[in-house]
Amino acid sequence: MVAIKRSNCFHKEGHDAGCHTSNNMYMIIFAIAEIILSQIPNFHELSGLSILAAVMSFAYSSIGLGLAIAKITERGNHVTTSLTGVAIGVDVTSTEKIWSSLQAIGNIAFAYAYSIVLVEIQDTLRSSPPENKVMKRASFVGVSITTIFYMLCGTLGYAAFGDKAPGNFLTGFGFYEPFWLVDFANMCIVVHLVGAYQVFCQPIFTTVENWCCHKWPESGFVTKRHPITFPSCGVCYVNMFRVIWRTVYVILTAVIAMLFPFFNSVIGLLGAIAFWPLTVYFPVEMYISRAKIRKFSVTWMWLQVLSWTCFIVTLLAAAGSIQGLVKDLQTYKPFSSAS
């Protein structure tokens, strides 16, 4: 949303204008929207929002790719590129490049991880055809399409901007014109993130609420639903615990976002933290248990090598992201205007 406002400013005032805008007001607007949407009872009722978010994802990715191709073919667009990326000693030091590379691994881990919602997705499927076959095919198709888009965005984005490529070539102002198309792409990102927030948070909401219902089954505050009639919408059943708990959760995440508005660093850290336990360790251990693989057999050894290798990668990615977060904090003042 800030990028849209700045894009219009750059179009009006010129690309060299400061166009500084505070993030905080837009984060509050986003939080208010999420507080409302968080009252959706469960994951099963998110299908419409999820489909809309997916369409938006395809839209802004395609726009970004189109703009990158246009920039590559633009006359006079000479950029520095190499197989090893930015030159050590010119743009960055060797240490900075290592930290940035590790943070990038965390970004990739987050971008691919969907294990947190995998069970919820499978739970929405019909019993026929078999869920495991449907999920296997859906995962293959989803990861394949995702990989194609990621590779295209990465390679074409680097070809368009070279070593000066921004962290995000839409919100990071790799492109200024046509400003209306950049604005539309950024609005697609906004809609996508509104839906993505709900898709990732609903499992957390459900887990906490189910635990509380089990812990305090006699509490009316936790378990009782109150009917509220809305004109032209019918009766809606509201649970006070759900309203308060979900509202507090969204407010908390909004405050943290305002304190640490560093997209790449935070995403890298979250990706690193979630990647090994949810995407590697638990699936590997469940497969070993289900398939009754003997300890110290060849298959068991290779699976352990895979798991421990990914664990080491996770630690390195987390370290790189934490270093990036510390570096960002040293150059940023909370609640001040951000560029």
Side-chain angles (χ1 to χ4, degrees):
M1 288 187 285
V2 172
I4 293 171
K5 184 175 178 63
R6 296 188 70 212
S7 174
N8 294 332
C9 175
F10 285 132
H11 179 71
K12 183 179 179 180
E13 304 293 340
H15 298 172
D16 295 326
C19 295
H20 300 294
T21 304
S22 174
N23 296 325
N24 296 334
M25 181 182 72
Y26 297 96
M27 290 185 180
I28 293 171
I29 293 172
F30 185 86
I32 291 171
E34 294 301 344
I35 287 173
I36 296 170
L37 290 173
S38 290
Q39 306 314 315
I40 295 174
N42 54 57
F43 197 90
H44 298 266
E45 298 181 37
L46 285 178
S47 58
L49 188 62
S50 181
I51 291 171
L52 179 62
V55 171
M56 294 297 102
S57 180
F58 277 108
Y60 70 72
S61 297
S62 300
I63 291 171
L65 289 174
L67 291 172
I69 292 172
K71 191 167 184 66
I72 293 170
T73 58
E74 188 180 81
R75 182 177 297 179
N77 180 42
H78 302 294
V79 296
T80 303
T81 59
S82 69
L83 288 175
T84 56
V86 292
I88 295 174
V90 178
D91 299 301
V92 295
T93 64
S94 58
T95 304
E96 288 174 336
K97 183 166 183 175
I98 291 172
W99 285 125
S100 297
S101 299
L102 294 176
Q103 179 182 314
I105 292 173
N107 288 169
I108 295 170
F110 182 86
Y112 270 104
Y114 60 99
S115 53
I116 192 172
V117 294
L118 185 65
V119 176
E120 278 71 19
I121 293 173
Q122 185 166 335
D123 195 39
T124 63
L125 299 177
R126 300 183 182 91
S127 57
S128 180
E131 291 180 1
N132 61 332
K133 292 183 179 180
V134 174
M135 284 304 300
K136 189 173 184 179
R137 184 168 180 269
S139 295
F140 175 78
V141 173
V143 172
S144 298
I145 294 174
T146 298
T147 301
I148 291 171
F149 270 92
Y150 286 168
M151 291 300 295
L152 287 174
C153 286
T155 54
L156 294 179
Y158 184 58
F161 302 106
D163 293 346
K164 302 298 181 183
N168 185 314
F169 62 26
L170 285 173
T171 61
F173 289 95
F175 308 105
Y176 289 94
E177 302 293 341
F179 81 99
W180 58 269
L181 187 58
V182 175
D183 284 356
F184 177 74
N186 282 321
M187 182 52 67
C188 290
I189 294 177
V190 172
V191 176
H192 175 215
L193 292 180
V194 167
Y197 186 103
Q198 289 302 313
V199 169
F200 275 87
C201 284
Q202 283 291 338
I204 299 172
F205 294 154
T206 302
T207 300
V208 171
E209 288 159 16
N210 288 344
W211 181 86
C212 290
C213 288
H214 179 75
K215 184 75 174 177
W216 299 288
E218 304 299 326
S219 172
F221 174 71
V222 174
T223 60
K224 190 175 181 180
R225 297 191 304 165
H226 304 276
I228 298 178
T229 303
F230 292 96
S232 73
C233 294
V235 178
C236 178
Y237 290 90
V238 176
N239 174 264
M240 293 308 298
F241 171 71
R242 183 174 69 201
V243 171
I244 294 173
W245 139 245
R246 295 188 181 194
T247 300
V248 170
Y249 180 90
V250 175
I251 291 173
L252 180 62
T253 59
V255 171
I256 294 173
M258 285 188 277
L259 290 171
F260 304 101
F262 317 119
F263 190 80
N264 285 24
S265 301
V266 173
I267 289 298
L269 181 60
L270 293 176
I273 291 172
F275 173 68
W276 181 73
L278 296 179
T279 307
V280 181
Y281 176 74
F282 286 127
V284 166
E285 292 302 315
M286 285 189 288
Y287 176 73
I288 290 174
S289 176
R290 187 172 183 274
K292 294 181 172 57
I293 298 173
R294 291 183 295 106
K295 276 191 175 183
F296 304 110
S297 64
V298 174
T299 303
W300 186 89
M301 292 291 289
W302 276 114
L303 288 173
Q304 295 304 316
V305 168
L306 170 67
S307 181
W308 280 100
T309 301
C310 290
F311 177 66
I312 293 170
V313 170
T314 292
L315 291 178
L316 293 173
S321 299
I322 291 171
Q323 190 276 340
L325 194 57
V326 171
K327 184 179 178 181
D328 290 336
L329 281 170
Q330 290 173 343
T331 58
Y332 179 80
K333 294 181 180 181
F335 300 105
S336 64
S337 292
S339 60

